[in-house]
Amino acid sequence: RSKMDYSGDSPKLLIDISFWLEFFKLKLNELKLDESPLAIKAAYSAAYKQNSFLILGEDCLTKEKKTALGGMAESFCQGTLLNCNTLEIFEQKSRDELLQKEGAAILESVKNRSWLEDVSKLNHILILSYADLKSYKCKYNLAFPTIPLKSVKIRKSQ
C-alpha cells in the first residue's frame, strides 16, 4: 500500500446551503436511518479569467438531468455522500481507509482502461458527513481522491 498524499491542488468546491437543506428533507422523509452511500453530482462553473469551481446545490441530490440557462448542457462531477446517523460513527470512520478505497477504484479504472468509456471515473467527490436533524447542524469532511501526477509514468506504446 502506498501512503496517502494530500495535495493543495484539489478543485475548489462551493457547497450551497440549499444542498444541505435538501439533504435534511431527504433524510427526514425518505432515507430515515439508511446509511447507504448516496450518489451526488456537482456542477462545474467556469468563470472568465478565474479558476473554475464545482457547485453543490439543491439539485445535486436528484437523478434528473437538467440543462443550463439557454439550453446549454451542464458538466457534472459525480460523487458519493456517506452520511452517518451518529456523531460517534462519524468520528470513528477511518478517513484514510475511505481515501485508499476511492484511490484504488480510480487506479483500477486506469489499469483496466474503463475510464475510456466513462471519464467521470477519474474525477470523484467524496463527502463523509453527520447531520444533526434536530439542530440543523452538519459536520462533514470533503475529499477529491486523485492519483498524484508525480506517481504516473507515461510509456510510449510500440
Side-chain angles (χ1 to χ4, degrees), residues 70-119:
M72 294 173 26
E74 285 183 308
S75 182
F76 292 99
C77 178
Q78 304 298 321
T80 304
L81 173 66
L82 302 171
N83 187 66
C84 303
N85 287 326
T86 67
L87 184 57
E88 291 78 22
I89 294 172
F90 172 77
E91 291 173 345
Q92 290 171 1
K93 288 276 187 185
S94 169
R95 275 71 173 162
D96 276 343
E97 193 174 299
L98 290 170
L99 288 173
Q100 288 288 346
K101 183 178 174 187
E102 289 291 319
I106 293 170
L107 191 56
E108 182 59 29
S109 73
V110 171
K111 286 179 179 176
N112 67 22
R113 302 174 62 85
S114 64
W115 72 273
L116 295 169
E117 299 294 322
D118 181 7
V119 75

Side-chain angles (χ1 to χ4, degrees), residues 3-44:
K3 183 179 170 195
M4 291 304 301
D5 184 20
Y6 299 95
S7 168
D9 297 333
S10 62
K12 292 170 179 54
L13 178 72
L14 168 68
I15 303 180
D16 190 83
I17 189 70
S18 65
F19 171 81
W20 292 116
L21 292 174
E22 191 64 27
F23 174 69
F24 277 46
K25 278 197 283 187
L26 185 65
K27 183 78 175 147
L28 280 169
N29 299 326
E30 294 178 36
L31 300 175
K32 302 189 188 310
L33 295 176
D34 187 358
E35 287 186 329
S36 299
L38 189 61
I40 58 172
K41 62 182 187 221
Y44 282 102

Side-chain angles (χ1 to χ4, degrees), residues 139-154:
K139 291 185 176 211
Y140 64 92
N141 297 123
L142 172 67
F144 290 95
T146 59
I147 300 170
L149 289 179
K150 61 186 172 195
S151 68
V152 176
K153 293 180 180 154
I154 300 173

